[in-house]
Amino acid sequence: MNRSSANGTREETVILFSNPRTRRRRLGVATAAAGLLAALLTAQPATATPDPGDGPVAEQEVSESTRAEVRKALTAGEIPGQDEIVHSDNIEHLAFVPKDALQGTNSDLAFQGRYAFAGNYDGFRVFDISNPAAPRTIAQVLCPGSQNDISVSGDLLFLSTDSSRSDSSCNSTTQPATEKSSWEGMKVFDISDKRNPQYVAAVETACGSHTHTLVPERRNVYVYVSSYSPDATYPDCRPPHDGISVIKVPRHAPEKAAVVDFPVLFPGEGPDGGGNPGPPGGVRKTTGCHDITVLPSKDLAAGACMGDGILLSIEDPARPKVIDQVRDDVNFAFWHSATFNQKANKVVFTDELGGGGAATCNAEIGPDRGADGIYDIVGKGDKRKLVFRSYFKIPRHQANTENCVAHNGSLIPVKGRDIMVQGWYQGGVSVWEFTDSDHPKEIAYFDRGPLTTDTIKSGGSWSAYYYNGYIYSNEYARGFDVLKLNDRRTDPARWVRVHELNVQTQPDYFD
């Protein structure tokens, strides 16, 4: 894959949609100071056609017996009707904004001030959420590349590309990873003008960037890039791929962003290093990490790395160091994400059984698979250990045509209690408490009925995060939801405010 940056010499076609009529220009790539104008779509309809190579998971046929079971459950009222909304009494549905110009899969969320930034496989969308009951779209940027995991820090926005592209531009098309010229990695935008983001840098990373995590400092932003699934036929993604890429981005010169290290997290002999070799039973072998969450105030990070969960010291942010490693080859199939509690004496790991495209919230799969695993952190310093305590899974069975599994969530900042909100794809949004590590319990939920009753069509809440008094959910297939939680157990969180939130960079809410 060729190294390419947004301030390079390639000429690029940039499409600017400032009204319903499409204007096409030929631009030479600007200097680093000016940046490169991204394909900007206003809230008005636009005639853009994103590249089809980064589409959602294809619908899966199900048996006639499964269809009959779903129809029976619907008739009996055991599950909500198709697209019907149900929720607990302590949740209020304030707003829903459907997809607009970007019709790809909705992915992660980030927040800054009065704005929410929503990733989409076709680019990203910027919402003004100053009135949470009436979010307004102020920008939509067309820049295809799955899965467009998104974060913000100051005037910079970061976007992950984990699909093989023809180049690093926003006009690129899909291209096989077996071709040396293909590109995957991190893109950086200047968002000092939220209505007009500027594409300013791109950094290629080994095996692309499935997700990323920011470790912000005053002068620089360090980016931990998680990626996985190498192949001997991929010129720039060959095994072993047993670590993460670390990118250093100077805030005042983002065009100088570059990989500064590739720390090996799973040293060992063999083609895949020292990670989980993938024993029988459906556990994925470890060939990299899926996601990392950092708690900068405690110099800690937790990594969800396919077949392994890890605890890291990030005292030196450029050189994270593993201090404990755990596995669950009985109930965990794919370690997906991690969340610390506020005291940093617990970590919640999620298991994305079925890769997010399967129906796993049913009696057949049971309560311990496709669930959250709660681990206590015991000991001190580099001798700290992760100790398993219990599992949590939503207590409602979903239809066998609904993809449902533990996915992205965040803490709700309540002093003295461990409460989080979490997206479960078509399992909806769940608010649950794990103050007692051995006895977690759900305290609120929001759910829609299945997208379809005769196939498995992926949808539901990709990410559900608490930000300054409200829950925001990026719905995989439909759009953007805003919820309000009215519960005495979580009411104190309304008084806690942060200026910026990237959930995988957890703030110290009470410092």
Side-chain angles (χ1 to χ4, degrees):
M1 300 180 187
N2 62 325
R3 175 71 176 271
S4 174
S5 68
N7 58 316
T9 58
R10 180 189 298 111
E11 217 178 46
E12 179 173 358
T13 300
V14 177
I15 304 173
L16 174 64
F17 295 97
S18 57
N19 55 52
R21 297 182 59 189
T22 302
R23 292 186 292 136
R24 186 177 286 267
R25 324 176 180 182
R26 197 70 187 161
L27 296 181
V29 179
T31 62
L36 179 65
L37 184 63
L40 181 67
L41 313 176
T42 67
Q44 302 170 15
T47 55
T49 305
D51 187 80
D54 299 312
V57 177
E59 292 186 40
Q60 305 170 46
E61 292 294 326
V62 296
S63 67
E64 178 53 40
S65 61
T66 295
R67 295 190 192 107
E69 287 176 5
V70 172
R71 289 193 295 268
K72 182 179 178 181
L74 286 168
T75 302
E78 296 172 4
I79 58 174
Q82 192 169 350
D83 291 323
E84 179 188 358
I85 291 175
V86 296
H87 54 82
S88 55
D89 292 340
N90 54 355
I91 275 192
E92 183 181 352
H93 189 202
L94 290 186
F96 170 69
V97 183
K99 287 182 180 179
D100 188 19
L102 304 178
Q103 288 294 307
T105 299
N106 280 335
S107 57
D108 213 0
L109 294 168
F111 305 89
Q112 187 181 86
R114 60 176 183 168
Y115 301 102
F117 303 83
N120 180 285
Y121 277 41
D122 292 334
F124 64 93
R125 189 173 185 178
V126 184
F127 293 97
D128 182 334
I129 54 171
S130 51
N131 179 2
R136 294 186 301 110
T137 300
I138 63 168
Q140 296 182 77
V141 176
L142 178 62
C143 197
S146 74
Q147 57 184 3
N148 277 341
D149 192 42
I150 194 167
S151 297
V152 294
S153 183
D155 288 338
L156 300 178
L157 179 146
F158 302 83
L159 206 63
S160 285
T161 300
D162 191 36
S163 59
S164 186
R165 313 293 300 178
S166 56
D167 56 52
S168 64
S169 75
C170 286
N171 300 308
S172 67
T173 58
T174 56
Q175 182 169 289
T178 52
E179 293 191 23
K180 179 66 178 173
S181 63
S182 295
W183 185 92
E184 299 179 61
M186 287 297 307
K187 295 169 180 168
V188 185
F189 292 77
D190 183 322
I191 54 167
S192 52
D193 180 355
K194 304 295 189 292
R195 297 177 180 274
N196 189 21
Q198 304 274 321
Y199 181 13
V200 295
V203 181
E204 186 179 10
T205 54
C207 299
S209 175
H210 192 73
T211 64
H212 67 267
T213 303
L214 306 186
V215 186
E217 296 186 333
R218 189 171 69 175
R219 294 185 177 180
N220 305 298
V221 180
Y222 287 94
V223 186
Y224 295 165
V225 176
S226 296
S227 55
Y228 55 93
S229 294
D231 191 288
T233 66
Y234 300 162
D236 296 290
C237 182
R238 289 181 173 141
H241 182 68
D242 47 14
I244 59 173
S245 297
V246 179
I247 298 174
K248 181 180 178 181
V249 185
R251 289 190 184 275
H252 297 297
E255 71 280 358
K256 296 181 180 179
V259 174
V260 293
D261 202 359
F262 186 87
V264 173
L265 304 180
F266 302 99
E269 302 296 328
D272 298 313
N276 195 324
V283 178
R284 287 283 294 274
K285 69 178 180 181
T286 299
T287 59
C289 288
H290 178 275
D291 210 352
I292 291 174
T293 293
V294 297
L295 191 57
S297 64
K298 301 292 193 296
D299 289 332
L300 275 179
C305 302
M306 304 179 72
D308 294 272
I310 56 176
L311 187 67
L312 306 99
S313 167
I314 58 167
E315 191 170 352
D316 180 351
R319 295 175 179 82
K321 179 180 66 174
V322 175
I323 57 179
D324 196 26
Q325 178 178 352
V326 291
R327 294 174 183 167
D328 181 350
D329 292 343
V330 175
N331 288 315
F332 261 48
F334 189 91
W335 296 68
H336 176 274
S337 53
T339 302
F340 287 100
N341 70 335
Q342 184 60 46
K343 291 183 178 179
N345 60 8
K346 299 177 189 178
V347 181
V348 174
F349 288 103
T350 68
D351 172 27
E352 194 185 38
L353 174 67
T360 71
C361 298
N362 52 33
E364 179 183 1
I365 298 299
D368 297 338
R369 300 178 63 212
D372 295 313
I374 302 164
Y375 285 75
D376 283 353
I377 301 173
V378 299
K380 296 182 178 180
D382 287 354
K383 296 188 180 298
R384 282 172 285 192
K385 298 291 183 183
L386 294 164
V387 178
F388 173 77
R389 298 299 297 271
S390 66
Y391 298 106
F392 170 78
K393 194 170 184 179
I394 56 172
R396 297 171 307 286
H397 289 160
Q398 304 295 307
N400 284 335
T401 57
E402 292 182 281
N403 62 310
C404 176
V405 75
H407 214 239
N408 292 339
S410 76
L411 280 187
I412 297 179
V414 179
K415 209 164 192 176
R417 304 184 85 142
D418 299 326
I419 301 175
M420 68 179 289
V421 59
Q422 186 175 8
W424 287 75
Y425 286 124
Q426 286 196 75
V429 175
S430 176
V431 179
W432 60 286
E433 182 169 3
F434 58 104
T435 305
D436 180 346
S437 298
D438 293 318
H439 300 98
K441 59 184 179 181
E442 184 176 72
I443 62 176
Y445 70 90
F446 172 87
D447 190 13
R448 281 187 174 91
L451 277 166
T452 64
T453 58
D454 54 1
T455 62
I456 296 179
K457 182 178 180 181
S458 292
S461 180
W462 178 290
S463 299
Y465 297 150
Y466 186 92
Y467 176 69
N468 290 351
Y470 299 89
I471 294 169
Y472 298 90
S473 170
N474 213 17
E475 221 276 3
Y476 187 132
R478 297 177 177 99
F480 180 74
D481 285 297
V482 185
L483 310 174
K484 186 177 181 182
L485 185 60
N486 300 297
D487 191 290
R488 59 177 177 76
R489 291 164 289 192
T490 59
D491 283 347
R494 296 181 184 181
W495 302 102
V496 180
R497 290 288 186 270
V498 294
H499 174 66
E500 195 170 82
L501 179 65
N502 301 295
V503 167
Q504 287 72 37
T505 306
Q506 285 192 219
D508 187 338
Y509 287 106
F510 303 111
D511 184 9

